[in-house]
Amino acid sequence: MLRRPATGSGAAGAPEAWPGGAPLRWRLAGLTFAVVTFAVGVITFLSYWTVSTGLTSGVDSDLDRKATTLLERAKDPMYLTHLDSEIRNFKSYSPDTRVALSPPGWAFTRGDAIPVGGEYHDVGDGFSTAVYTTGGERILTKTDSLGAMVVIARDMDETHRQMAALGMELLGIAALGVLLAIAAGLIVATAGLRPLQRLQKAVDHVADTDDLRPIAIYGDDALAQLTRSINAMLGALQESRRRQAELVADAGHELKTPLTSMRTNIELLMMLNRPGAAHRISEQDRHDLERDVMAQMTELSTLIGDLVDLAREDSADTVLEAVQLDEVIASALQRVRRRRSGITFDVELVDWDVMGEELALARAVVNLLDNAAKWSPTDGVVRVHMRQLSDDRVELSVSDSGPGIRPEDRARVFERFYRAPEARSQPGSGLGLAIVKQTVERHGGAVRVEDSEDGGTRFLVELPGRLRVNARPG
Protein backbone atom coordinates (compact mmCIF):
# COMPACT_ATOMS: atom_id res chain seq x y z
CA MET A 1 0.00 0.00 0.00
CA LEU A 2 1.24 3.48 -0.83
CA ARG A 3 1.84 5.71 2.18
CA ARG A 4 2.56 9.41 2.34
CA PRO A 5 5.64 10.30 4.37
CA ALA A 6 4.88 12.11 7.62
CA THR A 7 5.27 15.86 7.36
CA GLY A 8 5.53 16.73 11.03
CA SER A 9 3.83 19.62 12.76
CA GLY A 10 3.58 21.73 9.63
CA ALA A 11 1.67 19.17 7.61
CA ALA A 12 -1.36 21.40 7.10
CA GLY A 13 0.60 23.84 4.97
CA ALA A 14 2.97 21.35 3.42
CA PRO A 15 1.06 20.83 0.16
CA GLU A 16 1.64 24.50 -0.78
CA ALA A 17 5.30 24.76 0.24
CA TRP A 18 8.20 24.84 -2.17
CA PRO A 19 11.31 22.90 -1.15
CA GLY A 20 13.30 24.97 1.30
CA GLY A 21 11.15 28.11 0.97
CA ALA A 22 7.99 29.97 1.86
CA PRO A 23 4.54 28.54 1.14
CA LEU A 24 3.61 28.59 -2.52
CA ARG A 25 0.59 30.85 -1.83
CA TRP A 26 2.83 33.59 -0.43
CA ARG A 27 5.36 33.18 -3.20
CA LEU A 28 2.67 33.51 -5.84
CA ALA A 29 1.14 36.48 -4.00
CA GLY A 30 4.57 38.09 -3.72
CA LEU A 31 5.26 37.55 -7.40
CA THR A 32 1.91 39.09 -8.36
CA PHE A 33 2.57 42.02 -5.98
CA ALA A 34 6.04 42.60 -7.47
CA VAL A 35 4.75 42.53 -11.05
CA VAL A 36 1.82 44.87 -10.34
CA THR A 37 3.98 47.23 -8.25
CA PHE A 38 6.58 47.39 -11.02
CA ALA A 39 3.87 48.15 -13.57
CA VAL A 40 2.34 50.85 -11.36
CA GLY A 41 5.78 52.38 -10.76
CA VAL A 42 6.60 52.46 -14.46
CA ILE A 43 3.21 53.98 -15.34
CA THR A 44 3.56 56.58 -12.56
CA PHE A 45 7.05 57.58 -13.70
CA LEU A 46 6.01 57.80 -17.34
CA SER A 47 2.92 59.83 -16.44
CA TYR A 48 4.95 62.31 -14.37
CA TRP A 49 7.63 62.58 -17.05
CA THR A 50 5.05 63.04 -19.82
CA VAL A 51 3.10 65.75 -17.99
CA SER A 52 6.19 67.62 -16.77
CA THR A 53 7.70 67.51 -20.25
CA GLY A 54 4.41 68.73 -21.68
CA LEU A 55 4.24 71.65 -19.24
CA THR A 56 7.81 72.68 -20.04
CA SER A 57 7.14 72.32 -23.74
CA GLY A 58 4.04 74.48 -23.36
CA VAL A 59 6.08 77.19 -21.66
CA ASP A 60 8.67 77.04 -24.45
CA SER A 61 5.98 77.33 -27.12
CA ASP A 62 4.43 80.33 -25.42
CA LEU A 63 7.82 82.05 -25.05
CA ASP A 64 8.68 81.34 -28.69
CA ARG A 65 5.37 82.73 -29.89
CA LYS A 66 5.86 85.94 -27.90
CA ALA A 67 9.46 86.25 -29.03
CA THR A 68 8.39 85.94 -32.67
CA THR A 69 5.77 88.65 -32.18
CA LEU A 70 8.32 91.03 -30.64
CA LEU A 71 10.82 90.41 -33.44
CA GLU A 72 8.19 91.15 -36.07
CA ARG A 73 7.16 94.38 -34.33
CA ALA A 74 10.82 95.41 -33.93
CA LYS A 75 10.96 95.90 -37.70
CA ASP A 76 8.50 98.87 -37.38
CA PRO A 77 10.38 102.21 -36.79
CA MET A 78 7.35 103.66 -34.95
CA TYR A 79 7.49 100.74 -32.52
CA LEU A 80 11.14 101.42 -31.81
CA THR A 81 10.49 105.11 -30.97
CA HIS A 82 8.34 103.98 -28.06
CA LEU A 83 10.30 100.84 -27.27
CA ASP A 84 10.49 101.29 -23.49
CA SER A 85 6.74 101.89 -23.14
CA GLU A 86 6.03 98.94 -25.45
CA ILE A 87 8.18 96.70 -23.26
CA ARG A 88 6.34 97.92 -20.14
CA ASN A 89 3.00 97.24 -21.81
CA PHE A 90 4.16 93.72 -22.76
CA LYS A 91 5.22 92.99 -19.17
CA SER A 92 1.91 94.30 -17.84
CA TYR A 93 0.14 91.55 -19.78
CA SER A 94 2.75 88.95 -18.72
CA PRO A 95 3.69 89.86 -15.13
CA ASP A 96 5.70 86.66 -14.59
CA THR A 97 7.84 87.33 -17.66
CA ARG A 98 10.97 89.41 -18.15
CA VAL A 99 12.09 90.58 -21.59
CA ALA A 100 15.09 92.14 -23.27
CA LEU A 101 15.04 93.36 -26.92
CA SER A 102 17.84 94.32 -29.30
CA PRO A 103 16.38 95.73 -32.58
CA PRO A 104 18.15 95.17 -35.93
CA GLY A 105 21.48 97.03 -36.08
CA TRP A 106 21.55 97.87 -32.34
CA ALA A 107 24.62 96.99 -30.32
CA PHE A 108 22.76 97.07 -27.01
CA THR A 109 19.50 95.76 -25.57
CA ARG A 110 16.58 97.46 -23.93
CA GLY A 111 14.52 96.01 -21.11
CA ASP A 112 15.55 93.59 -18.33
CA ALA A 113 19.04 92.31 -17.75
CA ILE A 114 18.73 88.64 -18.68
CA PRO A 115 21.74 86.35 -19.18
CA VAL A 116 22.00 84.90 -22.66
CA GLY A 117 23.03 81.24 -23.01
CA GLY A 118 22.18 77.89 -24.38
CA GLU A 119 22.84 76.30 -27.76
CA TYR A 120 21.22 77.91 -30.78
CA HIS A 121 19.12 75.86 -33.21
CA ASP A 122 17.91 76.97 -36.64
CA VAL A 123 14.08 76.82 -36.66
CA GLY A 124 13.55 78.06 -40.22
CA ASP A 125 12.52 81.36 -41.86
CA GLY A 126 15.82 82.89 -40.72
CA PHE A 127 15.10 82.39 -37.01
CA SER A 128 17.37 80.71 -34.45
CA THR A 129 16.49 79.92 -30.86
CA ALA A 130 18.27 78.83 -27.68
CA VAL A 131 16.41 77.62 -24.60
CA TYR A 132 17.73 76.78 -21.12
CA THR A 133 16.77 76.98 -17.46
CA THR A 134 18.64 78.85 -14.77
CA GLY A 135 17.77 80.44 -11.44
CA GLY A 136 14.22 79.10 -11.50
CA GLU A 137 13.53 80.73 -14.86
CA ARG A 138 13.00 79.34 -18.34
CA ILE A 139 14.95 81.59 -20.75
CA LEU A 140 14.43 81.65 -24.52
CA THR A 141 16.66 83.64 -26.87
CA LYS A 142 15.54 84.18 -30.46
CA THR A 143 17.27 85.97 -33.32
CA ASP A 144 16.26 86.73 -36.91
CA SER A 145 18.16 87.18 -40.15
CA LEU A 146 18.37 90.99 -39.68
CA GLY A 147 20.34 90.64 -36.44
CA ALA A 148 17.50 91.46 -34.06
CA MET A 149 17.40 89.50 -30.81
CA VAL A 150 14.75 88.89 -28.13
CA VAL A 151 15.43 87.31 -24.74
CA ILE A 152 12.39 86.27 -22.70
CA ALA A 153 12.53 84.74 -19.19
CA ARG A 154 9.54 83.07 -17.55
CA ASP A 155 9.41 82.40 -13.80
CA MET A 156 8.87 78.63 -13.39
CA ASP A 157 7.72 78.64 -9.76
CA GLU A 158 4.07 78.15 -10.68
CA THR A 159 4.94 75.40 -13.13
CA HIS A 160 7.11 73.70 -10.52
CA ARG A 161 4.26 73.90 -8.00
CA GLN A 162 1.95 72.25 -10.54
CA MET A 163 4.51 69.55 -11.20
CA ALA A 164 5.01 68.97 -7.45
CA ALA A 165 1.26 68.70 -6.93
CA LEU A 166 1.04 66.27 -9.83
CA GLY A 167 3.89 64.22 -8.35
CA MET A 168 2.11 63.98 -4.99
CA GLU A 169 -1.12 62.93 -6.68
CA LEU A 170 0.71 60.30 -8.69
CA LEU A 171 2.46 59.04 -5.55
CA GLY A 172 -0.91 58.69 -3.87
CA ILE A 173 -2.25 56.81 -6.83
CA ALA A 174 0.86 54.61 -6.82
CA ALA A 175 0.44 53.88 -3.11
CA LEU A 176 -3.18 52.91 -3.74
CA GLY A 177 -2.00 50.76 -6.64
CA VAL A 178 0.48 48.99 -4.33
CA LEU A 179 -2.29 48.23 -1.84
CA LEU A 180 -4.44 46.94 -4.67
CA ALA A 181 -1.45 44.89 -5.85
CA ILE A 182 -1.19 43.22 -2.43
CA ALA A 183 -4.90 42.43 -2.46
CA ALA A 184 -4.73 41.23 -6.07
CA GLY A 185 -1.75 39.03 -5.24
CA LEU A 186 -3.60 37.33 -2.41
CA ILE A 187 -6.74 36.90 -4.51
CA VAL A 188 -4.80 35.51 -7.47
CA ALA A 189 -2.78 33.17 -5.26
CA THR A 190 -5.86 31.87 -3.48
CA ALA A 191 -7.93 31.44 -6.63
CA GLY A 192 -5.05 30.10 -8.68
CA LEU A 193 -3.99 27.51 -6.11
CA ARG A 194 -7.50 26.26 -5.34
CA PRO A 195 -7.50 23.75 -8.25
CA LEU A 196 -3.97 22.70 -7.33
CA GLN A 197 -5.02 22.18 -3.71
CA ARG A 198 -7.96 20.10 -4.91
CA LEU A 199 -5.60 17.96 -6.97
CA GLN A 200 -3.22 17.71 -4.00
CA LYS A 201 -6.01 16.43 -1.77
CA ALA A 202 -7.01 13.87 -4.40
CA VAL A 203 -3.42 12.62 -4.68
CA ASP A 204 -3.12 12.48 -0.88
CA HIS A 205 -6.33 10.46 -0.78
CA VAL A 206 -4.80 7.97 -3.21
CA ALA A 207 -1.62 7.74 -1.12
CA ASP A 208 -3.53 7.36 2.17
CA THR A 209 -6.26 4.95 1.07
CA ASP A 210 -4.53 3.07 -1.78
CA ASP A 211 -7.62 3.82 -3.87
CA LEU A 212 -6.45 3.99 -7.49
CA ARG A 213 -9.68 5.28 -8.99
CA PRO A 214 -9.23 8.15 -11.51
CA ILE A 215 -9.25 11.72 -10.20
CA ALA A 216 -12.04 14.01 -11.39
CA ILE A 217 -10.97 16.37 -14.21
CA TYR A 218 -12.17 19.99 -14.33
CA GLY A 219 -11.78 22.15 -17.43
CA ASP A 220 -9.24 21.74 -20.20
CA ASP A 221 -6.24 23.76 -19.00
CA ALA A 222 -2.70 22.71 -18.08
CA LEU A 223 -3.86 21.46 -14.68
CA ALA A 224 -6.46 19.27 -16.40
CA GLN A 225 -3.69 17.87 -18.60
CA LEU A 226 -1.66 17.16 -15.45
CA THR A 227 -4.66 15.39 -13.92
CA ARG A 228 -5.03 13.26 -17.06
CA SER A 229 -1.36 12.31 -16.81
CA ILE A 230 -1.82 11.34 -13.16
CA ASN A 231 -4.90 9.31 -14.09
CA ALA A 232 -2.89 7.55 -16.79
CA MET A 233 -0.23 6.76 -14.21
CA LEU A 234 -2.86 5.46 -11.79
CA GLY A 235 -4.37 3.35 -14.57
CA ALA A 236 -0.96 1.89 -15.41
CA LEU A 237 -0.32 1.19 -11.72
CA GLN A 238 -3.72 -0.43 -11.32
CA GLU A 239 -3.15 -2.57 -14.42
CA SER A 240 0.29 -3.55 -13.13
CA ARG A 241 -1.21 -4.57 -9.79
CA ARG A 242 -3.95 -6.51 -11.52
CA ARG A 243 -1.44 -8.38 -13.63
CA GLN A 244 0.74 -8.98 -10.59
CA ALA A 245 -2.20 -10.35 -8.61
CA GLU A 246 -3.23 -12.55 -11.54
CA LEU A 247 0.32 -13.83 -11.95
CA VAL A 248 0.61 -14.65 -8.24
CA ALA A 249 -2.79 -16.35 -8.17
CA ASP A 250 -2.18 -18.31 -11.37
CA ALA A 251 1.36 -19.22 -10.36
CA GLY A 252 0.12 -20.40 -6.98
CA HIS A 253 -2.53 -22.51 -8.65
CA GLU A 254 -0.13 -23.99 -11.19
CA LEU A 255 2.55 -24.69 -8.58
CA LYS A 256 0.08 -26.33 -6.25
CA THR A 257 -0.70 -29.24 -8.60
CA PRO A 258 2.86 -30.54 -9.19
CA LEU A 259 3.82 -29.87 -5.58
CA THR A 260 0.84 -31.82 -4.26
CA SER A 261 1.49 -34.73 -6.61
CA MET A 262 5.19 -34.70 -5.81
CA ARG A 263 4.53 -34.62 -2.09
CA THR A 264 2.17 -37.59 -2.36
CA ASN A 265 4.70 -39.64 -4.32
CA ILE A 266 7.57 -38.70 -2.01
CA GLU A 267 5.53 -39.62 1.08
CA LEU A 268 4.68 -42.96 -0.54
CA LEU A 269 8.35 -43.62 -1.30
CA MET A 270 9.25 -42.72 2.27
CA MET A 271 6.68 -45.20 3.57
CA LEU A 272 8.10 -47.92 1.31
CA ASN A 273 11.58 -47.29 2.71
CA ARG A 274 10.45 -48.15 6.24
CA PRO A 275 11.40 -51.60 7.57
CA GLY A 276 9.05 -54.36 6.41
CA ALA A 277 7.21 -52.19 3.88
CA ALA A 278 9.28 -52.86 0.79
CA HIS A 279 7.28 -56.01 -0.11
CA ARG A 280 4.04 -54.03 -0.40
CA ILE A 281 4.90 -52.72 -3.88
CA SER A 282 6.61 -54.28 -6.87
CA GLU A 283 9.98 -53.12 -8.11
CA GLN A 284 8.39 -51.86 -11.33
CA ASP A 285 5.90 -49.73 -9.38
CA ARG A 286 8.76 -48.32 -7.32
CA HIS A 287 10.62 -47.35 -10.50
CA ASP A 288 7.43 -45.78 -11.86
CA LEU A 289 7.06 -43.72 -8.69
CA GLU A 290 10.64 -42.54 -8.87
CA ARG A 291 10.21 -41.67 -12.54
CA ASP A 292 7.04 -39.71 -11.72
CA VAL A 293 8.85 -37.77 -9.02
CA MET A 294 11.66 -36.87 -11.42
CA ALA A 295 9.13 -35.83 -14.09
CA GLN A 296 7.26 -33.68 -11.59
CA MET A 297 10.52 -32.06 -10.49
CA THR A 298 11.32 -31.32 -14.15
CA GLU A 299 7.85 -29.89 -14.68
CA LEU A 300 8.18 -27.75 -11.55
CA SER A 301 11.62 -26.55 -12.61
CA THR A 302 10.32 -25.65 -16.08
CA LEU A 303 7.37 -23.77 -14.59
CA ILE A 304 9.61 -21.80 -12.25
CA GLY A 305 11.94 -20.98 -15.16
CA ASP A 306 9.01 -19.75 -17.22
CA LEU A 307 7.82 -17.59 -14.34
CA VAL A 308 11.30 -16.08 -14.00
CA ASP A 309 11.40 -15.39 -17.75
CA LEU A 310 7.96 -13.80 -17.61
CA ALA A 311 8.97 -11.60 -14.69
CA ARG A 312 12.12 -10.61 -16.61
CA GLU A 313 9.96 -9.68 -19.61
CA ASP A 314 7.82 -7.45 -17.36
CA SER A 315 10.90 -5.52 -16.28
CA ALA A 316 11.64 -2.27 -18.13
CA ASP A 317 15.33 -2.37 -17.15
CA THR A 318 16.63 -3.73 -20.47
CA VAL A 319 19.41 -2.64 -22.82
CA LEU A 320 18.62 -2.62 -26.54
CA GLU A 321 21.25 -3.67 -29.07
CA ALA A 322 21.44 -4.64 -32.73
CA VAL A 323 20.36 -8.31 -32.97
CA GLN A 324 20.74 -10.49 -36.09
CA LEU A 325 17.31 -12.09 -36.06
CA ASP A 326 18.20 -14.75 -38.64
CA GLU A 327 21.17 -15.87 -36.53
CA VAL A 328 18.94 -16.05 -33.43
CA ILE A 329 16.47 -18.26 -35.34
CA ALA A 330 19.27 -20.49 -36.66
CA SER A 331 20.67 -20.96 -33.15
CA ALA A 332 17.19 -21.74 -31.77
CA LEU A 333 16.68 -24.31 -34.53
CA GLN A 334 19.81 -26.15 -33.45
CA ARG A 335 18.55 -26.40 -29.89
CA VAL A 336 15.08 -27.58 -30.87
CA ARG A 337 16.43 -30.13 -33.40
CA ARG A 338 18.43 -31.81 -30.62
CA ARG A 339 15.29 -32.20 -28.52
CA ARG A 340 12.94 -33.08 -31.42
CA SER A 341 15.10 -35.31 -33.59
CA GLY A 342 12.09 -36.88 -35.35
CA ILE A 343 10.86 -33.58 -36.80
CA THR A 344 11.93 -32.11 -40.14
CA PHE A 345 12.42 -28.33 -40.32
CA ASP A 346 11.89 -26.47 -43.61
CA VAL A 347 13.75 -23.17 -43.18
CA GLU A 348 13.93 -19.96 -45.25
CA LEU A 349 15.64 -16.99 -43.57
CA VAL A 350 16.30 -13.34 -44.44
CA ASP A 351 19.31 -11.36 -43.20
CA TRP A 352 17.47 -9.06 -40.82
CA ASP A 353 18.60 -6.82 -37.94
CA VAL A 354 16.36 -5.90 -35.01
CA MET A 355 17.00 -3.45 -32.18
CA GLY A 356 16.20 -5.43 -29.07
CA GLU A 357 17.32 -7.92 -26.44
CA GLU A 358 18.91 -11.02 -27.91
CA LEU A 359 18.19 -13.40 -25.00
CA ALA A 360 14.50 -12.45 -24.92
CA LEU A 361 14.11 -12.87 -28.68
CA ALA A 362 15.92 -16.22 -28.54
CA ARG A 363 13.61 -17.44 -25.77
CA ALA A 364 10.52 -16.39 -27.77
CA VAL A 365 11.73 -18.13 -30.95
CA VAL A 366 12.58 -21.32 -29.03
CA ASN A 367 9.10 -21.31 -27.50
CA LEU A 368 7.49 -20.99 -30.95
CA LEU A 369 9.62 -23.76 -32.44
CA ASP A 370 9.15 -26.04 -29.43
CA ASN A 371 5.40 -25.54 -29.57
CA ALA A 372 5.29 -26.35 -33.30
CA ALA A 373 7.51 -29.43 -32.91
CA LYS A 374 5.54 -30.68 -29.90
CA TRP A 375 2.26 -30.68 -31.82
CA SER A 376 3.64 -32.06 -35.08
CA PRO A 377 3.30 -35.83 -35.58
CA THR A 378 6.31 -38.14 -35.83
CA ASP A 379 8.20 -37.43 -39.06
CA GLY A 380 6.19 -34.20 -39.33
CA VAL A 381 7.45 -30.98 -40.92
CA VAL A 382 7.77 -27.61 -39.24
CA ARG A 383 8.06 -24.73 -41.73
CA VAL A 384 10.05 -21.70 -40.57
CA HIS A 385 9.93 -18.92 -43.18
CA MET A 386 10.95 -15.26 -43.08
CA ARG A 387 9.84 -12.69 -45.65
CA GLN A 388 10.38 -8.96 -45.92
CA LEU A 389 7.13 -6.98 -45.80
CA SER A 390 8.60 -3.49 -46.31
CA ASP A 391 11.81 -1.58 -45.82
CA ASP A 392 11.39 -1.73 -42.04
CA ARG A 393 9.14 -4.75 -41.37
CA VAL A 394 9.72 -8.50 -41.57
CA GLU A 395 7.40 -11.47 -40.97
CA LEU A 396 8.41 -14.77 -39.35
CA SER A 397 6.04 -17.68 -40.04
CA VAL A 398 6.19 -20.90 -37.97
CA SER A 399 3.79 -23.61 -39.23
CA ASP A 400 3.22 -27.16 -37.97
CA SER A 401 1.31 -30.21 -39.15
CA GLY A 402 -0.55 -30.79 -35.91
CA PRO A 403 -4.28 -30.85 -35.12
CA GLY A 404 -4.55 -27.06 -35.20
CA ILE A 405 -6.25 -24.70 -32.75
CA ARG A 406 -9.98 -24.20 -32.65
CA PRO A 407 -11.06 -20.67 -33.68
CA GLU A 408 -12.69 -20.05 -30.29
CA ASP A 409 -9.40 -20.84 -28.52
CA ARG A 410 -7.14 -18.68 -30.68
CA ALA A 411 -7.90 -15.49 -28.81
CA ARG A 412 -6.77 -17.08 -25.54
CA VAL A 413 -3.67 -19.06 -26.50
CA PHE A 414 -1.45 -16.10 -25.58
CA GLU A 415 -2.96 -15.76 -22.08
CA ARG A 416 -0.82 -16.75 -19.12
CA PHE A 417 -1.41 -20.35 -17.96
CA TYR A 418 -4.18 -20.89 -20.49
CA ARG A 419 -4.22 -24.37 -22.00
CA ALA A 420 -6.83 -25.68 -24.40
CA PRO A 421 -8.65 -28.86 -23.26
CA GLU A 422 -6.77 -31.04 -25.75
CA ALA A 423 -3.45 -29.58 -24.55
CA ARG A 424 -3.87 -30.35 -20.86
CA SER A 425 -2.58 -33.89 -21.31
CA GLN A 426 0.66 -32.52 -22.79
CA PRO A 427 3.59 -31.31 -20.68
CA GLY A 428 3.98 -27.57 -20.38
CA SER A 429 3.30 -24.60 -18.14
CA GLY A 430 0.97 -22.58 -20.37
CA LEU A 431 3.42 -19.66 -20.28
CA GLY A 432 5.42 -20.20 -23.48
CA LEU A 433 3.12 -18.36 -25.88
CA ALA A 434 2.46 -15.63 -23.31
CA ILE A 435 6.21 -15.01 -23.22
CA VAL A 436 6.25 -14.93 -27.04
CA LYS A 437 3.49 -12.32 -27.23
CA GLN A 438 4.97 -10.15 -24.51
CA THR A 439 8.45 -10.25 -26.05
CA VAL A 440 7.23 -9.47 -29.58
CA GLU A 441 5.05 -6.55 -28.47
CA ARG A 442 7.86 -5.15 -26.32
CA HIS A 443 10.02 -5.08 -29.45
CA GLY A 444 7.36 -3.13 -31.38
CA GLY A 445 5.89 -6.10 -33.22
CA ALA A 446 2.73 -8.19 -33.29
CA VAL A 447 1.88 -11.89 -33.30
CA ARG A 448 -1.22 -13.73 -34.49
CA VAL A 449 -2.32 -17.30 -35.12
CA GLU A 450 -4.12 -18.90 -38.08
CA ASP A 451 -4.46 -22.25 -39.87
CA SER A 452 -1.53 -23.66 -41.82
CA GLU A 453 -1.83 -25.11 -45.32
CA ASP A 454 -2.12 -28.71 -44.06
CA GLY A 455 -4.62 -28.06 -41.27
CA GLY A 456 -2.11 -27.37 -38.54
CA THR A 457 -1.29 -24.07 -36.87
CA ARG A 458 0.68 -21.12 -38.20
CA PHE A 459 2.06 -18.41 -35.93
CA LEU A 460 2.88 -15.14 -37.72
CA VAL A 461 5.29 -12.75 -36.00
CA GLU A 462 5.83 -9.26 -37.43
CA LEU A 463 8.86 -7.30 -36.21
CA PRO A 464 10.48 -3.97 -37.12
CA GLY A 465 14.09 -3.62 -38.24
CA ARG A 466 16.02 -3.42 -41.45
CA LEU A 467 17.68 -5.61 -44.05
CA ARG A 468 21.32 -6.09 -43.17
CA VAL A 469 23.85 -4.34 -45.39
CA ASN A 470 25.61 -6.73 -47.79
CA ALA A 471 22.87 -9.29 -47.10
CA ARG A 472 23.07 -12.51 -48.98
CA PRO A 473 20.53 -12.77 -51.84
CA GLY A 474 17.24 -14.39 -50.76
Side-chain angles (χ1 to χ4, degrees):
M1 178 182 291
L2 295 174
R3 291 295 181 193
R4 225 172 4 117
T7 54
S9 59
E16 300 177 20
W18 285 1
L24 180 57
R25 174 188 285 118
W26 293 110
R27 291 199 175 202
L28 185 57
L31 180 62
T32 305
F33 164 73
V35 171
V36 175
T37 300
F38 176 77
V40 170
V42 170
I43 292 174
T44 301
F45 171 77
L46 291 177
S47 300
Y48 179 80
W49 178 81
T50 301
V51 174
S52 62
T53 302
L55 289 174
T56 303
S57 178
V59 171
D60 292 345
S61 297
D62 183 59
L63 293 177
D64 183 77
R65 185 173 58 257
K66 291 178 178 179
T68 301
T69 301
L70 290 174
L71 286 175
E72 292 293 334
R73 298 188 67 182
K75 297 176 182 179
D76 184 1
M78 295 299 296
Y79 178 79
L80 295 179
T81 58
H82 304 89
L83 182 59
D84 291 336
S85 62
E86 292 290 344
I87 291 176
R88 286 193 297 270
N89 289 334
F90 174 83
K91 294 175 64 176
S92 65
Y93 289 105
S94 303
D96 57 347
T97 303
R98 298 191 301 147
V99 62
L101 175 62
S102 175
W106 288 30
F108 57 89
T109 62
R110 303 291 293 271
D112 299 306
I114 305 174
V116 177
E119 183 178 353
Y120 283 89
H121 298 280
D122 185 6
V123 295
D125 296 332
F127 293 103
S128 297
T129 60
V131 183
Y132 74 105
T133 301
T134 182
E137 289 183 318
R138 188 69 171 172
I139 299 175
L140 181 142
T141 304
K142 191 166 188 175
T143 63
D144 62 10
S145 58
L146 299 178
M149 181 181 68
V150 173
V151 183
I152 300 180
R154 168 76 62 82
D155 187 3
M156 297 293 289
D157 286 345
E158 181 62 26
T159 302
H160 290 163
R161 282 193 295 270
Q162 293 178 3
M163 294 171 61
L166 173 64
M168 294 302 296
E169 292 178 0
L170 290 176
L171 284 177
I173 295 174
L176 179 61
V178 170
L179 294 177
L180 292 177
I182 296 175
L186 292 175
I187 293 173
V188 169
T190 302
L193 289 178
R194 188 174 292 115
L196 187 60
Q197 291 171 344
R198 183 170 58 242
L199 179 60
Q200 179 70 49
K201 290 179 180 178
V203 173
D204 289 343
H205 175 75
V206 172
D208 290 336
T209 64
D210 209 22
D211 183 2
L212 300 181
R213 286 180 296 181
I215 300 172
I217 299 175
Y218 300 94
D220 194 27
D221 53 7
L223 193 59
Q225 296 297 328
L226 175 61
T227 306
R228 291 189 181 94
S229 299
I230 293 176
N231 285 341
M233 180 184 66
L234 292 177
L237 180 58
Q238 192 168 28
E239 176 64 17
S240 176
R241 287 189 175 181
R242 184 191 66 79
R243 294 176 58 189
Q244 183 183 36
E246 287 183 356
L247 179 60
V248 171
D250 291 340
H253 175 74
E254 294 295 325
L255 288 170
K256 183 178 180 180
T257 300
L259 282 174
T260 301
S261 180
M262 185 187 301
R263 177 178 179 178
T264 301
N265 289 335
I266 291 175
E267 287 177 349
L268 182 56
L269 287 174
M270 291 174 62
M271 290 176 58
L272 294 176
N273 286 329
R274 293 175 184 173
H279 65 278
R280 298 180 182 177
I281 188 173
S282 66
E283 191 66 23
Q284 181 63 39
D285 290 340
R286 176 186 289 272
H287 288 320
D288 290 341
L289 278 174
E290 292 173 353
R291 187 173 61 253
D292 287 345
V293 170
M294 293 303 298
Q296 289 155 3
M297 290 179 64
T298 302
E299 180 182 356
L300 187 60
S301 176
T302 301
L303 177 58
I304 292 174
D306 287 342
L307 288 172
V308 171
D309 287 335
L310 200 62
R312 185 182 296 116
E313 288 298 318
D314 279 335
S315 174
D317 188 17
T318 57
V319 178
L320 301 182
E321 58 183 355
V323 178
Q324 296 181 358
L325 183 61
D326 53 307
E327 296 296 334
V328 169
I329 297 173
S331 177
L333 280 167
Q334 292 180 3
R335 294 170 56 185
V336 176
R337 279 191 176 111
R338 287 193 294 266
R339 294 199 294 261
R340 313 283 182 178
S341 57
I343 301 297
T344 300
F345 290 88
D346 177 18
V347 182
E348 292 182 10
L349 300 180
V350 175
D351 293 344
W352 195 261
D353 289 342
V354 176
M355 287 301 297
E357 188 182 8
E358 184 172 355
L359 291 178
L361 288 170
R363 175 70 173 178
V365 173
V366 167
N367 287 350
L368 278 177
L369 298 177
D370 256 338
N371 183 77
K374 179 176 68 175
W375 287 103
S376 292
T378 304
D379 298 330
V381 178
V382 173
R383 294 169 294 281
V384 183
H385 295 170
M386 288 178 66
R387 69 185 182 98
Q388 186 176 351
L389 300 177
S390 63
D391 291 342
D392 60 349
R393 305 293 287 187
V394 72
E395 182 183 77
L396 169 63
S397 170
V398 179
S399 306
D400 61 50
S401 303
I405 300 175
R406 294 181 300 181
E408 59 269 22
D409 292 330
R410 291 176 186 172
R412 302 192 60 192
V413 293
F414 297 108
E415 295 180 6
R416 297 175 179 182
F417 300 106
Y418 176 76
R419 303 182 71 187
E422 57 271 15
R424 291 169 187 168
S425 60
Q426 296 286 338
S429 63
L431 292 175
L433 293 179
I435 294 174
V436 171
K437 183 175 188 295
Q438 189 164 297
T439 301
V440 170
E441 290 182 348
R442 190 162 57 88
H443 283 77
V447 58
R448 67 184 189 275
V449 59
E450 61 183 32
D451 290 331
S452 64
E453 296 89 344
D454 53 1
T457 302
R458 175 189 290 119
F459 286 93
L460 297 172
V461 176
E462 186 178 331
L463 285 170
R466 62 180 180 178
L467 192 67
R468 194 156 54 251
V469 180
N470 300 324
R472 60 178 180 268

